[in-house]
Amino acid sequence: MVPRSGARFGWLFAVIWLVYLVNPLSVMLDDATGWRRVVGLAGLAGFLGSWLVGLAHFRRLRLAGGTSSPWHSWLLLSALAVCLGLMAPGAGESALTAAPFIVAMM
């Protein structure tokens, strides 16, 4: 059986949007200093990691026809929200660029 193009390239469509996180990254690298930069970059790295783990998890469930446990979903969404909060000291209001990713993961 040949997979549908959505199953084959769906991950690409979800990952391509990460280009929008270049804005908070550039703000952190250009304007933030000291602990604000370190915490912001750590938050961005955690956000990217959590996003990719969530994509892989939910894609695997969708292809297998399963459902996620509510605890796993809440844990993932909480991790994304915490990482967004960690980005805020370094990126300021541009950290809110990550908010639509949390909504999309919901």
Side-chain angles (χ1 to χ4, degrees), residues 49-74:
S50 298
W51 175 256
L52 294 174
V53 165
L55 285 180
H57 173 71
F58 289 118
R59 181 174 187 272
R60 192 173 36 244
L61 283 175
R62 190 187 78 232
L63 294 176
T67 59
S68 180
S69 76
W71 286 105
H72 188 270
S73 299
W74 279 110

Side-chain angles (χ1 to χ4, degrees), residues 4-95:
R4 299 181 340 262
S5 66
R8 197 174 335 150
F9 297 112
W11 64 271
L12 179 63
F13 296 123
V15 171
I16 196 76
W17 294 105
L18 292 176
V19 72
Y20 286 104
L21 296 180
V22 169
N23 183 29
L25 175 64
S26 67
V27 169
M28 283 185 266
L29 294 177
D30 293 340
D31 300 336
T33 58
W35 70 271
R36 293 176 190 272
R37 180 183 286 182
V38 172
V39 170
L41 291 173
L44 181 60
F47 191 89
L48 291 171
S50 298
W51 175 256
L52 294 174
V53 165
L55 285 180
H57 173 71
F58 289 118
R59 181 174 187 272
R60 192 173 36 244
L61 283 175
R62 190 187 78 232
L63 294 176
T67 59
S68 180
S69 76
W71 286 105
H72 188 270
S73 299
W74 279 110
L75 180 65
L76 178 63
L77 291 172
S78 298
L80 288 169
V82 166
C83 290
L84 186 147
L86 289 173
M87 287 174 22
E93 64 187 29
S94 69

